[in-house]
Amino acid sequence: MPAWLTILLVMGLVIAVLTPSRQQFAWFLRLRRPRWLTFERWIPVIWSVIYLCFYASALIRWWAGGVTAPLAMVGYLVLLVLVQSYTLLICRTRRLAWGTAAGLAGWLWGLGLALALLSVSRPASLLLAPFLLWSPIGTVVTWRMQKLNR
């Protein structure tokens, strides 16, 4: 199976398995949000771009080859699971603190992965930058939502 298809299928499977049900997500949508969160309608577009960057980064890293390529793919998989678990954890546990923790863990893992990729493929590393810039914003929003939805 070609690399582009393998990565795409794994990403699709992880996203499908770790997406909350409509009922679970409806609870999340009813939560109060900070007043300054005026860009919420753009969040799905932002995440689509981030996932596209994840895909491109993983594909570039795969093509770079080397003995550490399989380990790098595991790194991408862990990052995807952490990122996709954010909403699922919040919705299943009904605790925003779990989302804040998942957001922080995902950012730390993403930073480590980006730094590890620098020596192998600078473009693959730089493609993780949108996530590394956006993730703290999402984590702060979740942290503020905790205070509004006690």
Side-chain angles (χ1 to χ4, degrees):
M1 187 177 325
W4 67 268
L5 184 57
T6 302
I7 294 168
L8 194 61
L9 288 174
V10 169
M11 286 183 72
L13 180 65
V14 169
I15 291 167
V17 168
L18 297 179
T19 296
S21 70
R22 287 180 191 243
Q23 286 179 324
Q24 292 168 331
F25 195 65
W27 171 84
F28 179 73
L29 291 176
R30 288 191 300 268
L31 296 175
R32 293 191 345 234
R33 276 124 173 94
R35 284 190 191 129
W36 49 263
L37 184 60
T38 58
F39 51 87
E40 189 169 18
R41 69 177 178 268
W42 293 104
I43 291 175
V45 173
I46 292 166
W47 276 109
S48 295
V49 169
I50 288 170
Y51 281 149
L52 183 62
C53 289
F54 279 4
Y55 174 75
S57 177
L59 192 57
I60 289 168
R61 176 57 190 97
W62 184 311
W63 287 338
V67 295
T68 61
L71 187 58
M73 293 304 114
V74 171
Y76 283 106
L77 179 61
V78 171
L79 178 60
L80 184 61
V81 167
L82 286 169
V83 169
Q84 194 62 30
S85 294
Y86 163 85
T87 308
L88 183 68
L89 282 170
I90 290 173
C91 293
R92 285 215 177 142
T93 66
R94 294 191 174 203
R95 297 200 50 173
L96 289 162
W98 284 99
T100 303
L104 177 60
W107 186 84
L108 290 171
W109 188 269
L111 179 62
L113 182 59
L115 292 173
L117 289 169
L118 269 176
S119 64
V120 179
S121 173
R122 191 174 191 89
S125 179
L126 291 174
L127 280 164
L128 295 180
F131 166 72
L132 294 173
L133 294 170
W134 174 255
S135 182
I137 296 167
T139 302
V140 167
V141 168
T142 308
W143 178 72
R144 287 295 301 139
M145 286 175 64
Q146 281 178 265
K147 295 179 183 281
L148 295 171
N149 296 281
R150 292 199 180 261

